[in-house]
Amino acid sequence: MKYLMLVGTDPDHTEADAAAAPDIEDWFAYVSGAGKHVVGDRLRPSSAATTVRVRGGELLVTDGPFAETNEWIVGFDVLDCADLDEAIEIASKHSMAYTGRLELRPFWPLDGQ
Amino acid sequence: MTDAADVRAALGDAVAAERLRIVAALIRVTGDWDLAEDCLQDAVERALERWPLDGVPDHPSAWLTTTARRRAVDVLRRRQTERAKLREAQALAELSRDLTGDEPGPYGDDRLKLLFTCCHPALPMAGRVALTLRSVAGLSTRQIARAFLVSEATMGQRLLRTKNKIEHAGIGFRVPEPHRLAARTDAVLAVVYLTFTEGYAATEGEPFRDDLAAEAVQLAGLVAQLLPEDDEALGLHALLLLQHARRAARTDAGGELVTLEDQDRGRWDHDRVVAGLAALAAARATGRPPGYYRLQAEIAGLHATAAHADDTDWVRIVAAYDALLTLRPSPVIALNRAVATGFRDGPAAGLAAVDELGDELADYPLLPAVRADLLRRAGRRREAAAAYRDAVASARSEPERQLLERRLREVSGPAGGS
C-alpha cells in the first residue's frame, strides 16, 4: 500500500522536542534500506508556489498556494508499506515528526475501489 | 423434532461462546466486516431452521463456525465470478481450511486483533466505541444508536465511515508491534472505559443505558482474559465490576439518586464485588506499580469493603488519589481528592482543598455541588443553600437535579437555620 507523506511545519513544539529529533540522513538510510521509500524531496516554500485553475474555459494562473496558513508543506515522501501501522512507524522516526507534523495520505489507485 | 426452547437455549449459548471468534476470523481472512457479520447471521438462521428438525448438533459451536465459513465461501465464489480479485482468491484458499487461524503466542488470538483494529488511534473516538460495540460486543446498529441517543441511520453512517477508514487507510488486522503494545492497549482500555462511563453517567432510567455499562463490564472481562499479563486490563475489569456492583443501590424506589454514603450496601451486587476484588488482587499480583485504572479500582475496592459509610478508610483513599494525581494530573481527580480529604479531615479541610484548586475547575459542572455538600456538612447552611442553587442550575440530568433540590430543601428548611 502506498502512502504520500506530507511533511509540514508546526510551530507548536518545544526546544526539547527539537533536540530529540533524529538525523534526517539516518531516517533516509533506514527507510530506503528497508525498501519502503519510493520517492521524496524537499519543496520550495509557498512563495514559490503556483496555483493553476481553468474557469469558464480560461486558464487562471496565480501566485501562491491554495490557502495561507501558519503551517507549510515543506516536503513529501512516497512510502510503500504493508499497512498503516508500518507507515506510522516510519513517520514516527522522521525528524519532522518532532518539530513539525506528518500527514499520511493513502494512495487511491484508479483501478481500486 | 427438538423442543423449540431447547434449540433457542443451545443456539443462544453457542452464539455467546463463538460469535466473536467466528466474526474475528472471517474479518481476518476476508477483510470484509459486513460479510463476516452476514455469514454469522446466516448460520444462526440456518440453525433456527435445521436444529428443530435434525436435533441440536453434538458440537453446536463447531456447527455454527462451519456453516458461517461455508457461507463465506459461497458468497466469495459468487463474487469471484463477477470480478476476479486476488484478495478474494486468497481468502477462498484460506477458508477451505479450518477457521481457527489463531497464531501461537499470547497475542495470536483473532479476537485480540479485532479489538486492536476497532480501537486504532487513527479512527475517531466515537467510531472506535461504536465499532467495538458492533463487532466485538455484537450489538445491533439499532441498539448502539439507542444507547447513544442518535438515529439508527446516523449510527449506521458512523459505523460505515469507520469501516471505510480502516479499509482506505490500510489499518491492518493485527496486534501492534511489541514496543507499541502498551500504548495501544491503553487505547483499547480507554474505549472500554468510555463505553462504561457513557452507560454509568446516564441515570435517566433508560434501561438500555444500563445494558451499555453491562456490555462495558463484559468487554473489560474479555480484554482482561485476552491480556492476562496486563495489570491495567485487570485493573480496569476490577474497577468496572466494583462500580457496576453498586448499580442497583444508586437509585431509590422512587428513582431518585442515592449518593454513595447513603446507599443501602445490602443492595450491592455481592458476586460482582467479589469478582472485582479478585481481579484487583490479580492486578496487584503482577507486581507492577499501580496504574491509572488499578488505582481507581483500589479506591472502588476500599468503598466496596466498608460495611458502613463510616467505616470507609479515607486515609488510604486520599493516598490513592495522591498517587493518581502524580500519575495523571487532572483537576477532576484533584476535586475528588478534595472530597475525600473532607471525609478524612472534616469539611473545613475539604473546603480548603477545593478552594486551593482555584480557577482550574471554574466551569466544571460538579464544582458547585461539591462545595455545597462540604458547606452543608460544615453547618454553613446559608452558604450551602446558595451553592446548591448554583448546582441545580448546572445539573446534567433530571435525577441529579432532583437530588440537589432535595438537599437545597434540607438546608433551607426550618431545622435550626443559620
Side-chain angles (χ1 to χ4, degrees), chain B residues 246-275:
Chain B
R246 301 203 290 259
R247 177 62 193 94
R250 289 178 74 227
T251 46
D252 64 16
E256 286 203 28
L257 274 186
V258 185
T259 55
L260 181 55
E261 64 171 323
D262 293 330
Q263 285 173 12
D264 173 0
R265 295 175 182 228
R267 291 179 65 203
W268 288 357
D269 183 333
H270 187 68
D271 291 345
R272 278 215 182 92
V273 169
V274 169

PDB file of all heavy atoms in Angstrom, chain B residues 246-275:
ATOM      1  N   ARG B 246     -22.533  -1.507  42.372  1.00  0.00           N
ATOM      2  CA  ARG B 246     -23.344  -0.566  43.154  1.00  0.00           C
ATOM      3  C   ARG B 246     -24.587  -0.103  42.408  1.00  0.00           C
ATOM      4  O   ARG B 246     -25.372   0.673  42.935  1.00  0.00           O
ATOM      5  CB  ARG B 246     -22.497   0.664  43.507  1.00  0.00           C
ATOM      6  CG  ARG B 246     -21.255   0.349  44.310  1.00  0.00           C
ATOM      7  CD  ARG B 246     -20.774   1.556  45.106  1.00  0.00           C
ATOM      8  NE  ARG B 246     -20.209   2.620  44.288  1.00  0.00           N
ATOM      9  CZ  ARG B 246     -18.895   2.807  44.153  1.00  0.00           C
ATOM     10  NH1 ARG B 246     -18.045   2.019  44.759  1.00  0.00           N
ATOM     11  NH2 ARG B 246     -18.453   3.783  43.409  1.00  0.00           N
ATOM     12  N   ARG B 247     -24.753  -0.585  41.166  1.00  0.00           N
ATOM     13  CA  ARG B 247     -25.783  -0.036  40.291  1.00  0.00           C
ATOM     14  C   ARG B 247     -27.170   0.009  40.931  1.00  0.00           C
ATOM     15  O   ARG B 247     -27.834   1.046  40.931  1.00  0.00           O
ATOM     16  CB  ARG B 247     -25.838  -0.843  38.981  1.00  0.00           C
ATOM     17  CG  ARG B 247     -26.932  -0.388  38.019  1.00  0.00           C
ATOM     18  CD  ARG B 247     -26.681   1.053  37.584  1.00  0.00           C
ATOM     19  NE  ARG B 247     -27.833   1.643  36.920  1.00  0.00           N
ATOM     20  CZ  ARG B 247     -28.761   2.375  37.525  1.00  0.00           C
ATOM     21  NH1 ARG B 247     -28.697   2.589  38.835  1.00  0.00           N
ATOM     22  NH2 ARG B 247     -29.748   2.905  36.850  1.00  0.00           N
ATOM     23  N   ALA B 248     -27.613  -1.110  41.488  1.00  0.00           N
ATOM     24  CA  ALA B 248     -28.993  -1.184  41.991  1.00  0.00           C
ATOM     25  C   ALA B 248     -29.221  -0.213  43.143  1.00  0.00           C
ATOM     26  O   ALA B 248     -30.325   0.288  43.330  1.00  0.00           O
ATOM     27  CB  ALA B 248     -29.306  -2.609  42.439  1.00  0.00           C
ATOM     28  N   ALA B 249     -28.147   0.069  43.901  1.00  0.00           N
ATOM     29  CA  ALA B 249     -28.296   0.918  45.089  1.00  0.00           C
ATOM     30  C   ALA B 249     -28.199   2.402  44.742  1.00  0.00           C
ATOM     31  O   ALA B 249     -28.403   3.252  45.610  1.00  0.00           O
ATOM     32  CB  ALA B 249     -27.231   0.546  46.121  1.00  0.00           C
ATOM     33  N   ARG B 250     -27.897   2.707  43.475  1.00  0.00           N
ATOM     34  CA  ARG B 250     -27.679   4.115  43.116  1.00  0.00           C
ATOM     35  C   ARG B 250     -28.973   4.908  42.989  1.00  0.00           C
ATOM     36  O   ARG B 250     -28.955   6.124  42.943  1.00  0.00           O
ATOM     37  CB  ARG B 250     -26.880   4.228  41.818  1.00  0.00           C
ATOM     38  CG  ARG B 250     -25.428   3.814  41.971  1.00  0.00           C
ATOM     39  CD  ARG B 250     -24.703   3.898  40.642  1.00  0.00           C
ATOM     40  NE  ARG B 250     -24.431   5.270  40.265  1.00  0.00           N
ATOM     41  CZ  ARG B 250     -24.674   5.767  39.068  1.00  0.00           C
ATOM     42  NH1 ARG B 250     -25.223   5.044  38.139  1.00  0.00           N
ATOM     43  NH2 ARG B 250     -24.384   7.012  38.788  1.00  0.00           N
ATOM     44  N   THR B 251     -30.094   4.205  42.871  1.00  0.00           N
ATOM     45  CA  THR B 251     -31.376   4.904  42.849  1.00  0.00           C
ATOM     46  C   THR B 251     -32.292   4.257  43.869  1.00  0.00           C
ATOM     47  O   THR B 251     -32.191   3.063  44.143  1.00  0.00           O
ATOM     48  CB  THR B 251     -32.040   4.832  41.453  1.00  0.00           C
ATOM     49  OG1 THR B 251     -31.957   3.492  40.978  1.00  0.00           O
ATOM     50  CG2 THR B 251     -31.363   5.754  40.456  1.00  0.00           C
ATOM     51  N   ASP B 252     -33.191   5.061  44.457  1.00  0.00           N
ATOM     52  CA  ASP B 252     -34.124   4.506  45.429  1.00  0.00           C
ATOM     53  C   ASP B 252     -35.396   4.046  44.714  1.00  0.00           C
ATOM     54  O   ASP B 252     -35.493   4.122  43.486  1.00  0.00           O
ATOM     55  CB  ASP B 252     -34.419   5.511  46.553  1.00  0.00           C
ATOM     56  CG  ASP B 252     -35.129   6.757  46.041  1.00  0.00           C
ATOM     57  OD1 ASP B 252     -35.665   6.729  44.911  1.00  0.00           O
ATOM     58  OD2 ASP B 252     -35.147   7.762  46.779  1.00  0.00           O
ATOM     59  N   ALA B 253     -36.374   3.595  45.503  1.00  0.00           N
ATOM     60  CA  ALA B 253     -37.598   3.047  44.915  1.00  0.00           C
ATOM     61  C   ALA B 253     -38.296   4.089  44.035  1.00  0.00           C
ATOM     62  O   ALA B 253     -38.926   3.744  43.034  1.00  0.00           O
ATOM     63  CB  ALA B 253     -38.531   2.564  46.022  1.00  0.00           C
ATOM     64  N   GLY B 254     -38.158   5.365  44.398  1.00  0.00           N
ATOM     65  CA  GLY B 254     -38.792   6.419  43.616  1.00  0.00           C
ATOM     66  C   GLY B 254     -37.970   6.861  42.424  1.00  0.00           C
ATOM     67  O   GLY B 254     -38.308   7.830  41.755  1.00  0.00           O
ATOM     68  N   GLY B 255     -36.825   6.177  42.178  1.00  0.00           N
ATOM     69  CA  GLY B 255     -35.984   6.522  41.036  1.00  0.00           C
ATOM     70  C   GLY B 255     -35.034   7.679  41.320  1.00  0.00           C
ATOM     71  O   GLY B 255     -34.359   8.168  40.421  1.00  0.00           O
ATOM     72  N   GLU B 256     -34.971   8.132  42.572  1.00  0.00           N
ATOM     73  CA  GLU B 256     -34.062   9.252  42.880  1.00  0.00           C
ATOM     74  C   GLU B 256     -32.652   8.745  43.160  1.00  0.00           C
ATOM     75  O   GLU B 256     -32.464   7.652  43.699  1.00  0.00           O
ATOM     76  CB  GLU B 256     -34.586  10.035  44.087  1.00  0.00           C
ATOM     77  CG  GLU B 256     -35.796  10.879  43.729  1.00  0.00           C
ATOM     78  CD  GLU B 256     -35.983  12.061  44.687  1.00  0.00           C
ATOM     79  OE1 GLU B 256     -34.983  12.553  45.253  1.00  0.00           O
ATOM     80  OE2 GLU B 256     -37.133  12.481  44.844  1.00  0.00           O
ATOM     81  N   LEU B 257     -31.681   9.577  42.807  1.00  0.00           N
ATOM     82  CA  LEU B 257     -30.275   9.216  43.017  1.00  0.00           C
ATOM     83  C   LEU B 257     -29.967   9.093  44.500  1.00  0.00           C
ATOM     84  O   LEU B 257     -30.440   9.901  45.301  1.00  0.00           O
ATOM     85  CB  LEU B 257     -29.376  10.310  42.450  1.00  0.00           C
ATOM     86  CG  LEU B 257     -29.010  10.262  40.976  1.00  0.00           C
ATOM     87  CD1 LEU B 257     -27.995  11.368  40.694  1.00  0.00           C
ATOM     88  CD2 LEU B 257     -28.415   8.914  40.614  1.00  0.00           C
ATOM     89  N   VAL B 258     -29.162   8.095  44.848  1.00  0.00           N
ATOM     90  CA  VAL B 258     -28.696   7.941  46.219  1.00  0.00           C
ATOM     91  C   VAL B 258     -27.178   8.040  46.191  1.00  0.00           C
ATOM     92  O   VAL B 258     -26.519   7.309  45.447  1.00  0.00           O
ATOM     93  CB  VAL B 258     -29.125   6.579  46.806  1.00  0.00           C
ATOM     94  CG1 VAL B 258     -28.727   6.482  48.271  1.00  0.00           C
ATOM     95  CG2 VAL B 258     -30.629   6.364  46.640  1.00  0.00           C
ATOM     96  N   THR B 259     -26.610   8.954  46.988  1.00  0.00           N
ATOM     97  CA  THR B 259     -25.152   9.105  46.983  1.00  0.00           C
ATOM     98  C   THR B 259     -24.525   7.906  47.692  1.00  0.00           C
ATOM     99  O   THR B 259     -25.166   7.217  48.490  1.00  0.00           O
ATOM    100  CB  THR B 259     -24.728  10.402  47.690  1.00  0.00           C
ATOM    101  OG1 THR B 259     -25.299  10.398  48.994  1.00  0.00           O
ATOM    102  CG2 THR B 259     -25.219  11.620  46.926  1.00  0.00           C
ATOM    103  N   LEU B 260     -23.238   7.724  47.414  1.00  0.00           N
ATOM    104  CA  LEU B 260     -22.524   6.555  47.927  1.00  0.00           C
ATOM    105  C   LEU B 260     -22.721   6.369  49.434  1.00  0.00           C
ATOM    106  O   LEU B 260     -22.994   5.273  49.913  1.00  0.00           O
ATOM    107  CB  LEU B 260     -21.037   6.704  47.562  1.00  0.00           C
ATOM    108  CG  LEU B 260     -20.093   5.585  47.977  1.00  0.00           C
ATOM    109  CD1 LEU B 260     -20.566   4.248  47.462  1.00  0.00           C
ATOM    110  CD2 LEU B 260     -18.691   5.883  47.448  1.00  0.00           C
ATOM    111  N   GLU B 261     -22.590   7.465  50.198  1.00  0.00           N
ATOM    112  CA  GLU B 261     -22.629   7.291  51.659  1.00  0.00           C
ATOM    113  C   GLU B 261     -24.015   6.887  52.158  1.00  0.00           C
ATOM    114  O   GLU B 261     -24.130   6.286  53.221  1.00  0.00           O
ATOM    115  CB  GLU B 261     -22.140   8.555  52.370  1.00  0.00           C
ATOM    116  CG  GLU B 261     -23.017   9.765  52.152  1.00  0.00           C
ATOM    117  CD  GLU B 261     -22.604  10.937  53.056  1.00  0.00           C
ATOM    118  OE1 GLU B 261     -22.214  10.697  54.213  1.00  0.00           O
ATOM    119  OE2 GLU B 261     -22.684  12.069  52.583  1.00  0.00           O
ATOM    120  N   ASP B 262     -25.065   7.220  51.393  1.00  0.00           N
ATOM    121  CA  ASP B 262     -26.429   6.884  51.832  1.00  0.00           C
ATOM    122  C   ASP B 262     -26.948   5.580  51.223  1.00  0.00           C
ATOM    123  O   ASP B 262     -28.084   5.195  51.480  1.00  0.00           O
ATOM    124  CB  ASP B 262     -27.393   8.025  51.460  1.00  0.00           C
ATOM    125  CG  ASP B 262     -27.093   9.294  52.247  1.00  0.00           C
ATOM    126  OD1 ASP B 262     -26.602   9.161  53.395  1.00  0.00           O
ATOM    127  OD2 ASP B 262     -27.314  10.394  51.714  1.00  0.00           O
ATOM    128  N   GLN B 263     -26.119   4.930  50.382  1.00  0.00           N
ATOM    129  CA  GLN B 263     -26.631   3.729  49.715  1.00  0.00           C
ATOM    130  C   GLN B 263     -26.847   2.577  50.691  1.00  0.00           C
ATOM    131  O   GLN B 263     -26.109   2.424  51.660  1.00  0.00           O
ATOM    132  CB  GLN B 263     -25.662   3.291  48.597  1.00  0.00           C
ATOM    133  CG  GLN B 263     -25.746   4.195  47.373  1.00  0.00           C
ATOM    134  CD  GLN B 263     -24.698   3.888  46.327  1.00  0.00           C
ATOM    135  OE1 GLN B 263     -24.027   2.860  46.384  1.00  0.00           O
ATOM    136  NE2 GLN B 263     -24.545   4.795  45.374  1.00  0.00           N
ATOM    137  N   ASP B 264     -27.871   1.774  50.395  1.00  0.00           N
ATOM    138  CA  ASP B 264     -28.135   0.545  51.134  1.00  0.00           C
ATOM    139  C   ASP B 264     -27.137  -0.503  50.634  1.00  0.00           C
ATOM    140  O   ASP B 264     -27.288  -1.056  49.548  1.00  0.00           O
ATOM    141  CB  ASP B 264     -29.583   0.100  50.877  1.00  0.00           C
ATOM    142  CG  ASP B 264     -29.867  -1.269  51.485  1.00  0.00           C
ATOM    143  OD1 ASP B 264     -28.961  -1.867  52.102  1.00  0.00           O
ATOM    144  OD2 ASP B 264     -31.013  -1.732  51.329  1.00  0.00           O
ATOM    145  N   ARG B 265     -26.096  -0.734  51.433  1.00  0.00           N
ATOM    146  CA  ARG B 265     -24.997  -1.592  50.966  1.00  0.00           C
ATOM    147  C   ARG B 265     -25.427  -3.040  50.795  1.00  0.00           C
ATOM    148  O   ARG B 265     -24.743  -3.815  50.133  1.00  0.00           O
ATOM    149  CB  ARG B 265     -23.792  -1.445  51.893  1.00  0.00           C
ATOM    150  CG  ARG B 265     -23.256  -0.021  51.782  1.00  0.00           C
ATOM    151  CD  ARG B 265     -22.133   0.405  52.686  1.00  0.00           C
ATOM    152  NE  ARG B 265     -21.885   1.816  52.379  1.00  0.00           N
ATOM    153  CZ  ARG B 265     -20.690   2.337  52.158  1.00  0.00           C
ATOM    154  NH1 ARG B 265     -19.612   1.601  52.272  1.00  0.00           N
ATOM    155  NH2 ARG B 265     -20.563   3.610  51.842  1.00  0.00           N
ATOM    156  N   GLY B 266     -26.553  -3.396  51.393  1.00  0.00           N
ATOM    157  CA  GLY B 266     -27.105  -4.734  51.185  1.00  0.00           C
ATOM    158  C   GLY B 266     -27.592  -4.926  49.754  1.00  0.00           C
ATOM    159  O   GLY B 266     -27.752  -6.060  49.295  1.00  0.00           O
ATOM    160  N   ARG B 267     -27.820  -3.816  49.039  1.00  0.00           N
ATOM    161  CA  ARG B 267     -28.292  -3.926  47.664  1.00  0.00           C
ATOM    162  C   ARG B 267     -27.139  -3.961  46.660  1.00  0.00           C
ATOM    163  O   ARG B 267     -27.371  -4.027  45.453  1.00  0.00           O
ATOM    164  CB  ARG B 267     -29.247  -2.775  47.329  1.00  0.00           C
ATOM    165  CG  ARG B 267     -30.581  -2.879  48.070  1.00  0.00           C
ATOM    166  CD  ARG B 267     -31.484  -1.713  47.735  1.00  0.00           C
ATOM    167  NE  ARG B 267     -31.887  -1.719  46.333  1.00  0.00           N
ATOM    168  CZ  ARG B 267     -32.286  -0.634  45.660  1.00  0.00           C
ATOM    169  NH1 ARG B 267     -32.303   0.542  46.266  1.00  0.00           N
ATOM    170  NH2 ARG B 267     -32.650  -0.717  44.403  1.00  0.00           N
ATOM    171  N   TRP B 268     -25.921  -3.860  47.143  1.00  0.00           N
ATOM    172  CA  TRP B 268     -24.793  -4.012  46.213  1.00  0.00           C
ATOM    173  C   TRP B 268     -24.732  -5.459  45.739  1.00  0.00           C
ATOM    174  O   TRP B 268     -25.094  -6.384  46.481  1.00  0.00           O
ATOM    175  CB  TRP B 268     -23.480  -3.638  46.909  1.00  0.00           C
ATOM    176  CG  TRP B 268     -23.339  -2.155  47.143  1.00  0.00           C
ATOM    177  CD1 TRP B 268     -24.212  -1.182  46.739  1.00  0.00           C
ATOM    178  CD2 TRP B 268     -22.290  -1.487  47.856  1.00  0.00           C
ATOM    179  NE1 TRP B 268     -23.758   0.056  47.149  1.00  0.00           N
ATOM    180  CE2 TRP B 268     -22.586  -0.106  47.829  1.00  0.00           C
ATOM    181  CE3 TRP B 268     -21.135  -1.916  48.493  1.00  0.00           C
ATOM    182  CZ2 TRP B 268     -21.769   0.844  48.425  1.00  0.00           C
ATOM    183  CZ3 TRP B 268     -20.311  -0.974  49.088  1.00  0.00           C
ATOM    184  CH2 TRP B 268     -20.622   0.393  49.055  1.00  0.00           C
ATOM    185  N   ASP B 269     -24.277  -5.630  44.515  1.00  0.00           N
ATOM    186  CA  ASP B 269     -24.182  -6.976  43.929  1.00  0.00           C
ATOM    187  C   ASP B 269     -22.929  -7.659  44.494  1.00  0.00           C
ATOM    188  O   ASP B 269     -21.804  -7.380  44.070  1.00  0.00           O
ATOM    189  CB  ASP B 269     -24.116  -6.843  42.399  1.00  0.00           C
ATOM    190  CG  ASP B 269     -24.082  -8.196  41.703  1.00  0.00           C
ATOM    191  OD1 ASP B 269     -23.607  -9.174  42.308  1.00  0.00           O
ATOM    192  OD2 ASP B 269     -24.521  -8.247  40.547  1.00  0.00           O
ATOM    193  N   HIS B 270     -23.170  -8.557  45.452  1.00  0.00           N
ATOM    194  CA  HIS B 270     -22.061  -9.146  46.200  1.00  0.00           C
ATOM    195  C   HIS B 270     -21.133  -9.960  45.287  1.00  0.00           C
ATOM    196  O   HIS B 270     -19.904  -9.907  45.413  1.00  0.00           O
ATOM    197  CB  HIS B 270     -22.606 -10.027  47.323  1.00  0.00           C
ATOM    198  CG  HIS B 270     -21.550 -10.544  48.229  1.00  0.00           C
ATOM    199  ND1 HIS B 270     -20.834  -9.719  49.076  1.00  0.00           N
ATOM    200  CD2 HIS B 270     -21.058 -11.792  48.405  1.00  0.00           C
ATOM    201  CE1 HIS B 270     -19.947 -10.436  49.745  1.00  0.00           C
ATOM    202  NE2 HIS B 270     -20.063 -11.700  49.358  1.00  0.00           N
ATOM    203  N   ASP B 271     -21.715 -10.695  44.331  1.00  0.00           N
ATOM    204  CA  ASP B 271     -20.890 -11.512  43.426  1.00  0.00           C
ATOM    205  C   ASP B 271     -19.939 -10.633  42.612  1.00  0.00           C
ATOM    206  O   ASP B 271     -18.779 -10.980  42.393  1.00  0.00           O
ATOM    207  CB  ASP B 271     -21.783 -12.320  42.477  1.00  0.00           C
ATOM    208  CG  ASP B 271     -22.553 -13.405  43.221  1.00  0.00           C
ATOM    209  OD1 ASP B 271     -22.177 -13.699  44.377  1.00  0.00           O
ATOM    210  OD2 ASP B 271     -23.520 -13.940  42.654  1.00  0.00           O
ATOM    211  N   ARG B 272     -20.490  -9.481  42.143  1.00  0.00           N
ATOM    212  CA  ARG B 272     -19.640  -8.571  41.365  1.00  0.00           C
ATOM    213  C   ARG B 272     -18.531  -7.988  42.229  1.00  0.00           C
ATOM    214  O   ARG B 272     -17.405  -7.807  41.766  1.00  0.00           O
ATOM    215  CB  ARG B 272     -20.474  -7.436  40.766  1.00  0.00           C
ATOM    216  CG  ARG B 272     -21.175  -7.817  39.488  1.00  0.00           C
ATOM    217  CD  ARG B 272     -21.252  -6.643  38.513  1.00  0.00           C
ATOM    218  NE  ARG B 272     -21.979  -7.061  37.317  1.00  0.00           N
ATOM    219  CZ  ARG B 272     -23.296  -6.914  37.180  1.00  0.00           C
ATOM    220  NH1 ARG B 272     -24.000  -6.335  38.117  1.00  0.00           N
ATOM    221  NH2 ARG B 272     -23.882  -7.329  36.086  1.00  0.00           N
ATOM    222  N   VAL B 273     -18.854  -7.677  43.497  1.00  0.00           N
ATOM    223  CA  VAL B 273     -17.824  -7.143  44.397  1.00  0.00           C
ATOM    224  C   VAL B 273     -16.709  -8.173  44.551  1.00  0.00           C
ATOM    225  O   VAL B 273     -15.520  -7.849  44.428  1.00  0.00           O
ATOM    226  CB  VAL B 273     -18.430  -6.776  45.776  1.00  0.00           C
ATOM    227  CG1 VAL B 273     -17.319  -6.485  46.783  1.00  0.00           C
ATOM    228  CG2 VAL B 273     -19.358  -5.570  45.652  1.00  0.00           C
ATOM    229  N   VAL B 274     -17.098  -9.428  44.788  1.00  0.00           N
ATOM    230  CA  VAL B 274     -16.094 -10.489  44.976  1.00  0.00           C
ATOM    231  C   VAL B 274     -15.250 -10.643  43.716  1.00  0.00           C
ATOM    232  O   VAL B 274     -14.015 -10.712  43.773  1.00  0.00           O
ATOM    233  CB  VAL B 274     -16.796 -11.823  45.348  1.00  0.00           C
ATOM    234  CG1 VAL B 274     -15.803 -12.985  45.292  1.00  0.00           C
ATOM    235  CG2 VAL B 274     -17.419 -11.719  46.735  1.00  0.00           C
ATOM    236  N   ALA B 275     -15.915 -10.660  42.543  1.00  0.00           N
ATOM    237  CA  ALA B 275     -15.173 -10.793  41.284  1.00  0.00           C
ATOM    238  C   ALA B 275     -14.252  -9.597  41.073  1.00  0.00           C
ATOM    239  O   ALA B 275     -13.112  -9.742  40.605  1.00  0.00           O
ATOM    240  CB  ALA B 275     -16.157 -10.922  40.121  1.00  0.00           C
TER     241      ALA B 275
END
